[in-house]
Amino acid sequence: MILLLIQDSPTPSLFLDSIILVLPKVSDVIHRRGPWRSFEAVKYSTPEWVGWFNNRRLLEPIGSIPPAEAETNFYAALELEAMAA
């Protein structure tokens, strides 16, 4: 499945880099939050953690805002810049 996503991605190396950065963090969470009763419990908890990681965690280097908010601000600034030009 990951290989299919890499092939379909416009920037496969960036996609692969992001997987390489996130996978160790996911495995740390799996070990810290265990013991798990089944694979399904891990399978359903992983997207919950990824949602937190992308949308709710506060990231200090970008102003203590969630990464999703920083991305929204970035693209809004690009649109304003394009309108001004």
Side-chain angles (χ1 to χ4, degrees):
M1 181 174 164
I2 290 176
L3 291 177
L4 291 175
L5 292 172
I6 291 171
Q7 290 172 351
D8 294 341
S9 174
T11 54
S13 62
L14 289 175
F15 182 77
L16 189 56
D17 289 346
S18 66
I19 289 174
I20 290 168
L21 288 173
V22 170
L23 280 179
K25 295 176 185 174
V26 171
S27 65
D28 286 347
V29 170
I30 289 170
H31 289 292
R32 265 188 280 138
R33 291 181 62 186
W36 298 91
R37 293 177 186 252
S38 65
F39 173 75
E40 284 75 28
V42 174
K43 185 170 83 173
Y44 290 116
S45 293
T46 301
E48 176 187 320
W49 179 84
V50 170
W52 168 84
F53 188 83
N54 290 334
N55 300 308
R56 294 184 302 277
R57 96 186 138 104
L58 301 179
L59 194 56
E60 191 174 327
I62 59 173
S64 294
I65 60 173
E69 185 178 333
E71 182 179 15
T72 302
N73 295 345
F74 174 78
Y75 286 112
L78 283 181
E79 286 181 21
L80 286 175
E81 204 173 278
M83 283 189 233

